[in-house]
Amino acid sequence: MELTSVPAGVRPGLTTTEAPFIEDAKRAGQLYITQPYELYSEENHAAWQKLYSRILPRWERYANEHFLEGIDSLCLDPNRVPRLADVNQFLSPLTGFQAKAVSGYVPAFIFFDCLRNREFPTTITIRRSDKLDYLPEPDVFHDIAGHVPMHTDKQFAEALVRFGECAHTAADLVSGIRDAETRTHCLTSIIKAMARFFWFTIEFGLMRSRNGLKVYGSGLLSSYGEIAHAIDSPEVQRFPIQLEWAINQSFEIDHYQPLLFIVDSFDHLFSLVDQLEAWMKAGKLNNVAPGEPGVNESDLASFLAS
């Protein structure tokens, strides 16, 4: 049963880390929730408007053409936090994807399985209007303005679905390992490899175009500062993606990324996902390099419970 009502006396507002509605949902153990649109404050809408208006010129300059087409297709209101129902009305007919509201962190297998089912776990809170560049965790601007426009592209959507299928392959593979310690080690390594692949492609990927390098990674597309830094800064290393490098490369989330990878197209991205699964089956993901990101107990449990 989903939470739809607001406790008496709770002040409206869905600000990141400051939303009683979200805390109540977490305490109730509810991962999937509704979007209580009436709770958005004018400050929340002002934050969306500021984020959208200031990054729009940078999208036009740095974003790949598929993203720009997606923004047009979604008909997002630049002045108000979007209703997920409205977003899905435009999105679903294009690729079958839909944004699905969640209360917070989604364990790894569940997240990947959502992609397989053409659902994107979507945060409904938004950062403070006076701290637009501070993002303690993903928010609705990152998810809807960063990720979802890419989901309107059929080739990109198929790559996401294919990536989600890899989680089932991983779960099947480790279920056949009898020794608990070996099973945990292999699963931890596979999850780490999948997370790194997602980070360096879906979140922070660059793509070639007839007009030079463009951004398709959602972490870049939702960041006013980093979208320009990724393309223009001489401090950033940019290399054609190699799977063995991406899955063994650790990353840190609290600063601009110093290393980015380039794909040729979304067909290229799809082929990389196929290669990732082939390597998984061959055992090549069982011992990737140590380092970030960490794999927590809920991530492991989500795969083992599948």
Side-chain angles (χ1 to χ4, degrees):
M1 185 174 181
E2 293 183 330
L3 293 178
T4 57
S5 61
V6 182
V10 172
R11 183 173 62 86
L14 288 170
T15 306
T16 304
T17 73
E18 301 175 14
F21 176 86
I22 295 298
E23 296 308 311
D24 289 345
K26 290 178 179 178
R27 279 192 293 269
Q30 293 194 305
L31 178 59
Y32 302 116
I33 58 176
T34 57
Q35 182 189 27
Y37 197 81
E38 71 281 359
L39 287 187
Y40 287 110
S41 64
E42 287 307 309
E43 180 189 359
N44 293 154
H45 290 300
W48 175 274
Q49 188 277 328
K50 290 176 184 177
L51 288 164
Y52 196 99
S53 62
R54 72 171 187 165
I55 204 171
L56 183 59
R58 296 202 168 186
W59 283 341
E60 293 168 349
R61 179 174 177 181
Y62 298 110
N64 74 90
E65 60 182 343
H66 306 283
F67 174 85
L68 297 175
E69 291 170 1
I71 284 288
D72 288 342
S73 298
L74 294 176
C75 301
L76 298 177
D77 186 338
N79 300 311
R80 312 289 288 180
V81 176
R83 295 178 185 269
L84 299 195
D86 294 340
V87 171
N88 291 335
Q89 184 177 359
F90 290 106
L91 172 62
S92 294
L94 297 175
T95 62
F97 260 85
Q98 61 177 331
K100 187 171 185 177
V102 294
S103 62
Y105 182 75
V106 182
F109 181 86
I110 298 173
F111 178 83
F112 297 144
D113 193 48
C114 280
L115 300 182
R116 175 175 172 266
N117 292 310
R118 298 179 188 269
E119 297 172 337
F120 183 70
T122 303
T123 312
I124 62 169
T125 56
I126 190 165
R127 70 198 79 174
R128 290 170 57 107
S129 62
D130 60 346
K131 294 183 178 180
L132 298 184
D133 294 317
Y134 175 64
L135 194 63
E137 57 190 62
D139 73 344
V140 70
F141 187 80
H142 170 77
D143 284 346
I144 295 298
H147 278 282
V148 173
M150 297 303 309
H151 301 168
T152 66
D153 183 87
K154 290 183 179 180
Q155 290 177 303
F156 183 85
E158 291 305 319
L160 278 187
V161 173
R162 186 74 184 87
F163 183 70
E165 291 172 350
C166 290
H168 281 260
T169 301
D172 290 342
L173 287 171
V174 299
S175 68
I177 302 175
R178 291 189 175 184
D179 180 72
E181 184 176 349
T182 302
R183 183 169 60 245
T184 298
H185 171 81
C186 291
L187 180 56
T188 299
S189 183
I190 290 171
I191 296 173
K192 194 182 292 286
M194 291 185 69
R196 287 170 174 170
F197 182 86
F198 192 88
W199 180 267
F200 285 113
T201 57
I202 308 305
E203 289 285 2
F204 285 88
L206 303 179
M207 187 168 66
R208 301 188 195 283
S209 79
R210 58 181 176 271
N211 297 314
L213 287 184
K214 297 292 182 179
V215 168
Y216 77 92
S218 302
L220 299 174
L221 289 165
S222 59
S223 172
Y224 174 79
E226 194 160 10
I227 189 173
H229 185 265
I231 299 296
D232 292 339
S233 174
E235 298 174 0
V236 177
Q237 299 182 74
R238 306 171 188 88
F239 295 101
I241 190 167
Q242 297 181 55
L243 184 59
E244 61 270 30
W245 193 350
I247 64 174
N248 286 290
Q249 178 65 45
S250 64
F251 60 83
E252 297 175 343
I253 65 173
D254 59 353
H255 54 75
Y256 286 178
Q257 297 303 300
L259 172 64
L260 299 173
F261 293 114
I262 305 162
V263 300
D264 296 328
S265 65
F266 291 144
D267 281 341
H268 182 202
L269 178 63
F270 190 95
S271 72
L272 287 168
V273 180
D274 275 346
Q275 185 183 5
L276 181 75
E277 185 182 55
W279 282 21
M280 186 186 297
K281 291 178 177 178
K284 293 184 178 181
L285 306 188
N286 291 354
N287 293 286
V288 298
E292 294 296 326
V295 177
N296 61 42
E297 290 298 324
S298 65
D299 289 331
L300 292 169
S302 68
F303 272 83
L304 296 174
S306 67

